[in-house]
Amino acid sequence: MEKLCEKPLNMKNLIYLLFFISFSGISQSKELYDLAFSKKENFELLKIMGDKIPKELLIIDSTIVWNPKTFYLENIDLKDPKVIEEINKEEHHYYHSLYLFSDKSLDQLIVDNEKEKLSEKASLTSSKKINIQGRNYKTIKKFDEKGFYFLVSEPLYSTNGKFAFISIAAKRKSTFLEEDYDEYFSHFTIMFQKSDKEKWEQIGIKKHFIQ
C-alpha cells in the first residue's frame, strides 16, 4: 500500500509562512500598544505632583525587561489571611508596588500554575530594540528635554493566548536648585483580554507612584 505523506513546504511557501507569523505578531503588539497609550486615564498618576500628561508620549527605543514578581511571589502564601495582614503592614512590599494580582478581580482570572508560568516567561525576557508609533506615541533614541518620557516592555502572553500584559515605566527629567535629575516617577502594568471577536480589550491596570 502506498504511504500517504504531507507535501513538504517549498522555500516560497516557507517564506510566506514566516512572513505571516511575523506580521501577525507585530500587528498584535501594535494593537496592545495602541490600547495602552491611547487611554489618557492610564496615566492620571503623572498629575500627582502637579504635572500634565504629555500630549505625545515619547518612548525610548529599547524595551525594559519584565520583573518576575509582577506575576508570582515565591514562597508567600497569599491565601493565608495572616500573611496578607503582615504584608499590609509593609508599605514597600512587592505585593503593593508590583504584584499585579493583588487586584482580586484580576487574580480570579489566572490560576496559580499560570502565574508561575508567566513569572518564568518574565525572567527570560531581555532588552530589545523597538520601533513603534501611534496616534499619540512614538519611539525615540534619546530624551533631551525636561518632563516625562517612557520605557516599555514587549508584550507578554498567557499560555492560552487569551491574556496579554505590558509594563510601562515613566521617568521625569527636571532641574532643582540648578541640579539636573533623571528619575523614575511611576510604573504601570496593564492587563488585556482577547474578546470573542478576537479583539484585545484592557481589563486592568496596576499603578505605582515611585517615592
PDB file of all heavy atoms in Angstrom, residues 4 9 19 65 70 77 86 96 101 110-111 116 125 137 140 146 148 151 159 174 209:
ATOM      1  N   LEU A   4       0.891   7.609   2.498  1.00  0.00           N
ATOM      2  CA  LEU A   4       0.488   8.992   2.278  1.00  0.00           C
ATOM      3  C   LEU A   4       1.326   9.887   3.168  1.00  0.00           C
ATOM      4  O   LEU A   4       1.534   9.603   4.336  1.00  0.00           O
ATOM      5  CB  LEU A   4      -1.012   9.172   2.623  1.00  0.00           C
ATOM      6  CG  LEU A   4      -1.985   8.373   1.763  1.00  0.00           C
ATOM      7  CD1 LEU A   4      -3.411   8.594   2.274  1.00  0.00           C
ATOM      8  CD2 LEU A   4      -1.890   8.790   0.303  1.00  0.00           C
ATOM      9  N   LEU A   9       6.922  21.776   2.637  1.00  0.00           N
ATOM     10  CA  LEU A   9       6.870  23.179   2.236  1.00  0.00           C
ATOM     11  C   LEU A   9       8.058  23.503   1.340  1.00  0.00           C
ATOM     12  O   LEU A   9       9.196  23.154   1.656  1.00  0.00           O
ATOM     13  CB  LEU A   9       6.932  24.086   3.476  1.00  0.00           C
ATOM     14  CG  LEU A   9       5.672  24.163   4.350  1.00  0.00           C
ATOM     15  CD1 LEU A   9       5.990  24.967   5.605  1.00  0.00           C
ATOM     16  CD2 LEU A   9       4.534  24.824   3.596  1.00  0.00           C
ATOM     17  N   PHE A  19       6.656  35.086   7.084  1.00  0.00           N
ATOM     18  CA  PHE A  19       6.208  36.477   6.986  1.00  0.00           C
ATOM     19  C   PHE A  19       4.866  36.656   7.691  1.00  0.00           C
ATOM     20  O   PHE A  19       4.657  37.628   8.416  1.00  0.00           O
ATOM     21  CB  PHE A  19       6.080  36.893   5.519  1.00  0.00           C
ATOM     22  CG  PHE A  19       5.475  38.269   5.340  1.00  0.00           C
ATOM     23  CD1 PHE A  19       6.251  39.408   5.525  1.00  0.00           C
ATOM     24  CD2 PHE A  19       4.138  38.417   5.008  1.00  0.00           C
ATOM     25  CE1 PHE A  19       5.700  40.676   5.371  1.00  0.00           C
ATOM     26  CE2 PHE A  19       3.572  39.680   4.849  1.00  0.00           C
ATOM     27  CZ  PHE A  19       4.354  40.813   5.035  1.00  0.00           C
ATOM     28  N   VAL A  65      13.034  44.956  30.655  1.00  0.00           N
ATOM     29  CA  VAL A  65      12.773  43.543  30.949  1.00  0.00           C
ATOM     30  C   VAL A  65      11.676  43.444  32.005  1.00  0.00           C
ATOM     31  O   VAL A  65      11.487  44.353  32.820  1.00  0.00           O
ATOM     32  CB  VAL A  65      14.039  42.810  31.433  1.00  0.00           C
ATOM     33  CG1 VAL A  65      15.100  42.831  30.338  1.00  0.00           C
ATOM     34  CG2 VAL A  65      14.578  43.427  32.716  1.00  0.00           C
ATOM     35  N   THR A  70       6.074  40.464  39.129  1.00  0.00           N
ATOM     36  CA  THR A  70       4.824  41.045  38.627  1.00  0.00           C
ATOM     37  C   THR A  70       3.701  40.011  38.670  1.00  0.00           C
ATOM     38  O   THR A  70       2.539  40.355  38.915  1.00  0.00           O
ATOM     39  CB  THR A  70       4.999  41.521  37.172  1.00  0.00           C
ATOM     40  OG1 THR A  70       6.071  42.464  37.109  1.00  0.00           O
ATOM     41  CG2 THR A  70       3.715  42.157  36.633  1.00  0.00           C
ATOM     42  N   ASP A  77       2.427  32.564  50.899  1.00  0.00           N
ATOM     43  CA  ASP A  77       1.080  32.008  50.808  1.00  0.00           C
ATOM     44  C   ASP A  77       0.059  33.140  50.845  1.00  0.00           C
ATOM     45  O   ASP A  77      -0.373  33.566  51.921  1.00  0.00           O
ATOM     46  CB  ASP A  77       0.830  31.028  51.957  1.00  0.00           C
ATOM     47  CG  ASP A  77      -0.533  30.344  51.854  1.00  0.00           C
ATOM     48  OD1 ASP A  77      -1.238  30.567  50.842  1.00  0.00           O
ATOM     49  OD2 ASP A  77      -0.889  29.599  52.781  1.00  0.00           O
ATOM     50  N   GLU A  86       0.141  40.726  57.512  1.00  0.00           N
ATOM     51  CA  GLU A  86       1.526  41.147  57.727  1.00  0.00           C
ATOM     52  C   GLU A  86       2.048  41.967  56.550  1.00  0.00           C
ATOM     53  O   GLU A  86       2.755  42.958  56.723  1.00  0.00           O
ATOM     54  CB  GLU A  86       2.420  39.916  57.951  1.00  0.00           C
ATOM     55  CG  GLU A  86       2.224  39.228  59.282  1.00  0.00           C
ATOM     56  CD  GLU A  86       2.467  40.167  60.453  1.00  0.00           C
ATOM     57  OE1 GLU A  86       3.502  40.857  60.457  1.00  0.00           O
ATOM     58  OE2 GLU A  86       1.591  40.221  61.352  1.00  0.00           O
ATOM     59  N   HIS A  96       2.308  45.290  47.060  1.00  0.00           N
ATOM     60  CA  HIS A  96       1.671  46.592  46.846  1.00  0.00           C
ATOM     61  C   HIS A  96       2.217  47.315  45.617  1.00  0.00           C
ATOM     62  O   HIS A  96       1.469  47.943  44.871  1.00  0.00           O
ATOM     63  CB  HIS A  96       1.868  47.490  48.076  1.00  0.00           C
ATOM     64  CG  HIS A  96       1.377  46.885  49.347  1.00  0.00           C
ATOM     65  ND1 HIS A  96       0.073  46.499  49.532  1.00  0.00           N
ATOM     66  CD2 HIS A  96       2.018  46.590  50.507  1.00  0.00           C
ATOM     67  CE1 HIS A  96      -0.086  45.999  50.744  1.00  0.00           C
ATOM     68  NE2 HIS A  96       1.091  46.035  51.359  1.00  0.00           N
ATOM     69  N   PHE A 101      -1.606  40.760  40.674  1.00  0.00           N
ATOM     70  CA  PHE A 101      -2.808  40.065  41.111  1.00  0.00           C
ATOM     71  C   PHE A 101      -3.208  40.368  42.552  1.00  0.00           C
ATOM     72  O   PHE A 101      -4.004  39.638  43.152  1.00  0.00           O
ATOM     73  CB  PHE A 101      -2.646  38.566  40.871  1.00  0.00           C
ATOM     74  CG  PHE A 101      -2.360  38.246  39.428  1.00  0.00           C
ATOM     75  CD1 PHE A 101      -1.143  37.696  39.061  1.00  0.00           C
ATOM     76  CD2 PHE A 101      -3.291  38.549  38.444  1.00  0.00           C
ATOM     77  CE1 PHE A 101      -0.867  37.418  37.725  1.00  0.00           C
ATOM     78  CE2 PHE A 101      -3.024  38.278  37.108  1.00  0.00           C
ATOM     79  CZ  PHE A 101      -1.812  37.704  36.749  1.00  0.00           C
ATOM     80  N   ILE A 110      -6.705  34.222  36.557  1.00  0.00           N
ATOM     81  CA  ILE A 110      -5.489  33.463  36.264  1.00  0.00           C
ATOM     82  C   ILE A 110      -5.226  32.449  37.383  1.00  0.00           C
ATOM     83  O   ILE A 110      -5.107  32.840  38.549  1.00  0.00           O
ATOM     84  CB  ILE A 110      -4.269  34.401  36.138  1.00  0.00           C
ATOM     85  CG1 ILE A 110      -4.521  35.508  35.102  1.00  0.00           C
ATOM     86  CG2 ILE A 110      -3.017  33.609  35.772  1.00  0.00           C
ATOM     87  CD1 ILE A 110      -4.605  35.040  33.674  1.00  0.00           C
ATOM     88  N   VAL A 111      -5.121  31.195  37.035  1.00  0.00           N
ATOM     89  CA  VAL A 111      -4.859  30.160  38.046  1.00  0.00           C
ATOM     90  C   VAL A 111      -3.403  30.256  38.508  1.00  0.00           C
ATOM     91  O   VAL A 111      -2.538  30.800  37.806  1.00  0.00           O
ATOM     92  CB  VAL A 111      -5.156  28.750  37.498  1.00  0.00           C
ATOM     93  CG1 VAL A 111      -6.626  28.633  37.130  1.00  0.00           C
ATOM     94  CG2 VAL A 111      -4.277  28.433  36.291  1.00  0.00           C
ATOM     95  N   GLU A 116       2.789  31.194  37.812  1.00  0.00           N
ATOM     96  CA  GLU A 116       4.182  30.744  37.852  1.00  0.00           C
ATOM     97  C   GLU A 116       4.785  30.707  36.454  1.00  0.00           C
ATOM     98  O   GLU A 116       5.941  31.096  36.253  1.00  0.00           O
ATOM     99  CB  GLU A 116       4.269  29.354  38.497  1.00  0.00           C
ATOM    100  CG  GLU A 116       3.995  29.350  39.989  1.00  0.00           C
ATOM    101  CD  GLU A 116       4.346  28.018  40.625  1.00  0.00           C
ATOM    102  OE1 GLU A 116       5.507  27.587  40.475  1.00  0.00           O
ATOM    103  OE2 GLU A 116       3.465  27.413  41.260  1.00  0.00           O
ATOM    104  N   THR A 125      12.975  37.335  29.698  1.00  0.00           N
ATOM    105  CA  THR A 125      12.946  38.466  28.769  1.00  0.00           C
ATOM    106  C   THR A 125      14.271  39.229  28.787  1.00  0.00           C
ATOM    107  O   THR A 125      14.995  39.232  29.784  1.00  0.00           O
ATOM    108  CB  THR A 125      11.800  39.440  29.101  1.00  0.00           C
ATOM    109  OG1 THR A 125      11.949  39.929  30.445  1.00  0.00           O
ATOM    110  CG2 THR A 125      10.456  38.761  28.949  1.00  0.00           C
ATOM    111  N   TYR A 137       1.872  58.501  20.366  1.00  0.00           N
ATOM    112  CA  TYR A 137       3.126  57.993  20.933  1.00  0.00           C
ATOM    113  C   TYR A 137       4.092  57.597  19.821  1.00  0.00           C
ATOM    114  O   TYR A 137       3.687  57.297  18.696  1.00  0.00           O
ATOM    115  CB  TYR A 137       2.859  56.793  21.851  1.00  0.00           C
ATOM    116  CG  TYR A 137       2.421  55.539  21.125  1.00  0.00           C
ATOM    117  CD1 TYR A 137       3.345  54.601  20.670  1.00  0.00           C
ATOM    118  CD2 TYR A 137       1.064  55.287  20.892  1.00  0.00           C
ATOM    119  CE1 TYR A 137       2.944  53.453  20.002  1.00  0.00           C
ATOM    120  CE2 TYR A 137       0.661  54.140  20.217  1.00  0.00           C
ATOM    121  CZ  TYR A 137       1.606  53.230  19.779  1.00  0.00           C
ATOM    122  OH  TYR A 137       1.209  52.099  19.107  1.00  0.00           O
ATOM    123  N   ILE A 140      11.820  57.023  20.462  1.00  0.00           N
ATOM    124  CA  ILE A 140      12.930  57.943  20.221  1.00  0.00           C
ATOM    125  C   ILE A 140      14.219  57.293  20.726  1.00  0.00           C
ATOM    126  O   ILE A 140      14.175  56.386  21.552  1.00  0.00           O
ATOM    127  CB  ILE A 140      12.718  59.296  20.942  1.00  0.00           C
ATOM    128  CG1 ILE A 140      12.508  59.068  22.445  1.00  0.00           C
ATOM    129  CG2 ILE A 140      11.550  60.064  20.335  1.00  0.00           C
ATOM    130  CD1 ILE A 140      12.480  60.338  23.276  1.00  0.00           C
ATOM    131  N   LYS A 146      13.022  68.494  29.255  1.00  0.00           N
ATOM    132  CA  LYS A 146      12.519  68.384  30.623  1.00  0.00           C
ATOM    133  C   LYS A 146      11.113  67.788  30.549  1.00  0.00           C
ATOM    134  O   LYS A 146      10.362  68.060  29.628  1.00  0.00           O
ATOM    135  CB  LYS A 146      12.471  69.765  31.292  1.00  0.00           C
ATOM    136  CG  LYS A 146      13.847  70.392  31.542  1.00  0.00           C
ATOM    137  CD  LYS A 146      14.601  69.608  32.602  1.00  0.00           C
ATOM    138  CE  LYS A 146      15.908  70.311  32.968  1.00  0.00           C
ATOM    139  NZ  LYS A 146      16.894  70.293  31.896  1.00  0.00           N
ATOM    140  N   PHE A 148       8.326  64.294  31.162  1.00  0.00           N
ATOM    141  CA  PHE A 148       8.175  62.843  31.198  1.00  0.00           C
ATOM    142  C   PHE A 148       8.595  62.170  29.888  1.00  0.00           C
ATOM    143  O   PHE A 148       8.361  62.694  28.803  1.00  0.00           O
ATOM    144  CB  PHE A 148       6.705  62.468  31.460  1.00  0.00           C
ATOM    145  CG  PHE A 148       6.228  62.795  32.842  1.00  0.00           C
ATOM    146  CD1 PHE A 148       5.283  63.795  33.034  1.00  0.00           C
ATOM    147  CD2 PHE A 148       6.708  62.101  33.951  1.00  0.00           C
ATOM    148  CE1 PHE A 148       4.825  64.098  34.308  1.00  0.00           C
ATOM    149  CE2 PHE A 148       6.259  62.401  35.228  1.00  0.00           C
ATOM    150  CZ  PHE A 148       5.307  63.402  35.407  1.00  0.00           C
ATOM    151  N   LEU A 151       9.469  54.159  29.184  1.00  0.00           N
ATOM    152  CA  LEU A 151      10.126  52.909  28.837  1.00  0.00           C
ATOM    153  C   LEU A 151       9.033  51.844  28.811  1.00  0.00           C
ATOM    154  O   LEU A 151       8.152  51.836  29.679  1.00  0.00           O
ATOM    155  CB  LEU A 151      11.185  52.541  29.872  1.00  0.00           C
ATOM    156  CG  LEU A 151      12.272  53.597  30.110  1.00  0.00           C
ATOM    157  CD1 LEU A 151      12.912  53.409  31.464  1.00  0.00           C
ATOM    158  CD2 LEU A 151      13.320  53.529  29.015  1.00  0.00           C
ATOM    159  N   THR A 159      -0.361  31.398  28.477  1.00  0.00           N
ATOM    160  CA  THR A 159      -0.178  30.157  27.721  1.00  0.00           C
ATOM    161  C   THR A 159      -1.294  29.922  26.715  1.00  0.00           C
ATOM    162  O   THR A 159      -1.049  29.477  25.590  1.00  0.00           O
ATOM    163  CB  THR A 159      -0.104  28.959  28.685  1.00  0.00           C
ATOM    164  OG1 THR A 159       0.934  29.195  29.651  1.00  0.00           O
ATOM    165  CG2 THR A 159       0.209  27.673  27.931  1.00  0.00           C
ATOM    166  N   SER A 174      14.084  66.743  35.361  1.00  0.00           N
ATOM    167  CA  SER A 174      13.774  68.041  35.960  1.00  0.00           C
ATOM    168  C   SER A 174      15.048  68.692  36.479  1.00  0.00           C
ATOM    169  O   SER A 174      16.115  68.059  36.527  1.00  0.00           O
ATOM    170  CB  SER A 174      12.770  67.873  37.106  1.00  0.00           C
ATOM    171  OG  SER A 174      13.326  67.047  38.128  1.00  0.00           O
ATOM    172  N   PHE A 209       3.209  54.801  42.208  1.00  0.00           N
ATOM    173  CA  PHE A 209       3.997  56.037  42.286  1.00  0.00           C
ATOM    174  C   PHE A 209       5.298  55.727  43.014  1.00  0.00           C
ATOM    175  O   PHE A 209       5.295  55.238  44.146  1.00  0.00           O
ATOM    176  CB  PHE A 209       3.211  57.109  43.032  1.00  0.00           C
ATOM    177  CG  PHE A 209       3.982  58.362  43.318  1.00  0.00           C
ATOM    178  CD1 PHE A 209       4.611  59.063  42.301  1.00  0.00           C
ATOM    179  CD2 PHE A 209       4.073  58.855  44.613  1.00  0.00           C
ATOM    180  CE1 PHE A 209       5.333  60.227  42.557  1.00  0.00           C
ATOM    181  CE2 PHE A 209       4.780  60.020  44.882  1.00  0.00           C
ATOM    182  CZ  PHE A 209       5.402  60.711  43.864  1.00  0.00           C
TER     183      PHE A 209
END
